[in-house]
């Protein structure tokens, strides 16, 4: 991966970490109120965040590989195949976790996976990109 892509992955990971801290803490304390095991909820969020991190790294790698292909249609096909494979693996893992690992709260796993989206939304807020030539600056 390029340096910029690695930086972006780390920035999104930081947002995911913030998401995990907020919802992990809230889930840990609110789980007994909702009749769930706090450790199960916390474990689910951590497992979901781990899956989200793997998805993020895969997305970054696929985006870079697609950018290196000279023909746009070929890049689109390769990326679509990788997206399908990633979704199939994640949904398969969710099914296995829900079926075989009752110690982990599956809703908390899904909430942890949603941390990927939260991390992407938090990235510009946490690491606002400053324009080198001050394009966004008002003159007057």
């Amino acid at each position: 991966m390029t340096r910029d892509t690695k930086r972006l992955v780390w920035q999104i990971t930081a947002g995911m970490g913030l998401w995990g801290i907020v919802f992990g803490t809230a889930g840990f304390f609110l789980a007994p109120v909702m009749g769930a095991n706090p450790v199960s909820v916390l474990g689910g969020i951590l497992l979901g965040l781990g899956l989200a991190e793997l998805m993020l790294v895969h997305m970054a790698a696929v985006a870079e590989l697609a950018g290196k292909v000279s023909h746009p249609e070929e890049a689109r096909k390769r990326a679509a195949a990788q997206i399908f494979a990633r979704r199939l693996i994640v949904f398969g893992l969710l099914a296995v976790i829900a079926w075989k690992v009752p110690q982990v709260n599956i809703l908390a796993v899904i909430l942890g996976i949603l941390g990927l989206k939260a991390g992407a939304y938090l990235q510009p807020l946490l690491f606002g990109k400053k324009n080198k030539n001050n394009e966004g600056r008002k003159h007057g």
Side-chain angles (χ1 to χ4, degrees), residues 16-93:
M16 290 168 45
L18 182 61
W19 170 269
I21 290 169
V22 169
F23 281 91
T25 303
F28 188 79
F29 290 111
L30 293 177
V33 174
M34 303 180 135
N37 180 353
V39 175
S40 171
V41 171
L42 189 59
I45 289 176
L46 291 174
L47 182 60
L49 285 170
L51 286 172
E53 182 66 26
L54 293 174
M55 290 169 46
L56 174 62
V57 170
H58 185 257
M59 282 188 258
V62 168
E64 286 204 344
L65 288 175
K68 292 178 182 176
V69 176
S70 59
H71 193 269
E73 187 61 26
E74 180 66 24
R76 188 194 65 75
K77 286 180 183 178
R78 286 186 186 183
Q82 291 293 319
I83 290 167
F84 179 75
R86 182 175 57 243
R87 287 182 181 168
L88 190 64
I89 290 168
V90 169
F91 286 127
L93 285 172

